[in-house]
Amino acid sequence: MGEQLSQYTTLRLGGPAQDLLTHTDPAAWPDLTHAARRYPEPPFMLGGGSNILAADTAYPGLVIRMATTGITTRLVGDGAVEVTAQAGQPLHHLVTHAAAEQLSGIEYLAGIPGTVGAAPVQNTGAYGQQIADTLTAVTAHDWHTGRTVRLPAASCGFGYRTSHFKAQPGRWTILTVTLRLTRSHHAAPITYRHLADALDVPLGTRPPLPEAVAAVLADRRARGLLLPDDGPDSRQAGSVFLNPLLTPAQAAAVHAAGGPLHRNADGEAVRASAGWLLQQCGHHPGQRLAPGVYCSTRRALTLVARDGATATAFAATLHTLASQVERQMGIRLRPEPVSVSPRP
Ligand SMILES: Cc1cc2nc3c(=O)[nH]c(=O)nc-3n(C[C@H](O)[C@H](O)[C@H](O)COP(=O)(O)OP(=O)(O)OC[C@H]3O[C@@H](n4cnc5c(N)ncnc54)[C@H](O)[C@@H]3O)c2cc1C
């Protein structure tokens, strides 16, 4: 067995992988696909490991860690610029690079850990913005056909924290991501009430780009949404449950109980706050849930690993919390982190 996955996940949990290769040179991709053919299953793709719960047991296969970096830009007219980033590029670096170049469209994604290549997988988003808003295409390797293809955004199946890439685990490796950003000194209009309030401006305001990035980082810091380098909350994968979709009856019940409701970008579907549901069931920041597994010191929706934690205990805790919310509130929660476990 090879390297421990715990070295590469922000929860610092996970047993050894049979083999782990780090991909740093885009030109070497064909060689890597060739090497991967000796394994019976397609490789498991690892980015920054910030949305992964890797099992304690050994992973019997190949893991490829995407560490290619590089950003290129191309003027496309009408004040738009096409920005293409390699999959291993840290997303936050791309955000600050774009803001420094006066390119607007991804500024509200500041402070999200992980890589550009993983962002389309769960259509990573925050503060009313998601990667799908500006993504025009990805280049991706299809392990089913063995070919590398360019997929336009319309073929990516984006939805709330989901995509075809997430729905077909093991099929796709994203190699590059292309975004269409707008040349401007100003950020996209604020659509997220909490951020507008933090800046004391009306919804729809377009703050200067550096101000928008700084406001998001300050707000994330205040709410425990940045990944700390050390301290009690440093081992985590962010929110552990997605905000669940509600039926009209559930939405009415949550509203009557004073709970916040979020509308999907389509304006139709209504979601509850998973954090609020946990709080309604008595969970609170700092709470000990299992040996080594706690709610973060800042919010119930982020679970953290501390001394003595195992992936097994972490996964069992997610199951227990989801069952409790379903029993007490009649609403089913789905975990956000992706489980990496041996295939049955
Ligand atoms: C403190 C904190 C705050 C967070 N805040 C947010 C937030 O506001 N919004 C949000 O959406 N998420 C958030 N997250 C979750 C996470 O950071 C994002 O989902 C991020 O996009 C994951 O990137 P990653 O590179 O770490 O992916 P990983 O965790 O390495 O992988 C996640 C999934 O993507 C797949 N994958 C990774 N790279 C590739 C690739 N190149 N090709 C194909 N598949 C790939 C993996 O196989 C896995 O299924 C947060 C996490 C933390 C720890």
Side-chain angles (χ1 to χ4, degrees), residues 244-311:
L245 207 55
L246 301 180
T247 62
Q250 288 170 332
V254 168
H255 183 68
L261 295 173
H262 305 292
R263 251 171 224 292
N264 264 10
D266 60 17
E268 302 272 315
V270 174
R271 293 180 181 274
S273 151
W276 181 83
L277 291 170
L278 289 178
Q279 281 166 18
Q280 290 300 105
C281 293
H283 299 294
H284 55 83
Q287 185 185 358
R288 181 182 184 277
L289 297 163
V293 183
Y294 292 73
C295 293
S296 90
T297 58
R298 314 297 286 282
R299 57 201 298 263
L301 186 55
T302 295
L303 300 198
V304 299
R306 297 199 192 137
D307 286 352
T310 60

Side-chain angles (χ1 to χ4, degrees), residues 13 37 42-43 47 50 52 55 72 89 93 95 103 109 212 220 229 253 274 283 294 296 298-300 302 328 342-343:
L13 294 174
R37 274 191 226 129
S50 65
I52 276 180
T72 56
Q89 182 77 39
H93 289 180
V95 170
L103 296 174
L109 307 184
R220 291 188 80 100
D229 289 333
H283 299 294
Y294 292 73
S296 90
R298 314 297 286 282
R299 57 201 298 263
T302 295
Q328 286 182 226
R343 294 181 180 95

Side-chain angles (χ1 to χ4, degrees), residues 108-159:
Y108 300 124
L109 307 184
I112 300 180
T115 56
V116 168
V121 176
Q122 82 143 354
N123 189 12
T124 292
Y127 295 91
Q129 200 168 59
Q130 51 189 5
I131 200 76
D133 296 344
T134 48
L135 187 146
T136 54
V138 302
T139 50
H141 185 81
D142 182 350
W143 293 96
H144 285 188
T145 63
R147 291 172 51 194
T148 296
V149 292
R150 182 178 164 87
L151 296 173
S155 307
C156 295
F158 289 125

Side-chain angles (χ1 to χ4, degrees), residues 53-79:
L53 175 57
D56 303 312
T57 43
Y59 181 77
L62 174 64
V63 174
I64 298 182
R65 190 169 73 88
M66 297 301 276
T68 47
T69 56
I71 301 171
T72 56
T73 52
R74 189 171 77 90
L75 279 173
V76 287
D78 287 343

Side-chain angles (χ1 to χ4, degrees), residues 90-116:
L91 178 64
H92 177 70
H93 289 180
L94 180 63
V95 170
T96 53
H97 173 86
E101 296 291 313
Q102 276 133 35
L103 296 174
S104 155
I106 50 172
E107 47 282 354
Y108 300 124
L109 307 184
I112 300 180
T115 56
V116 168

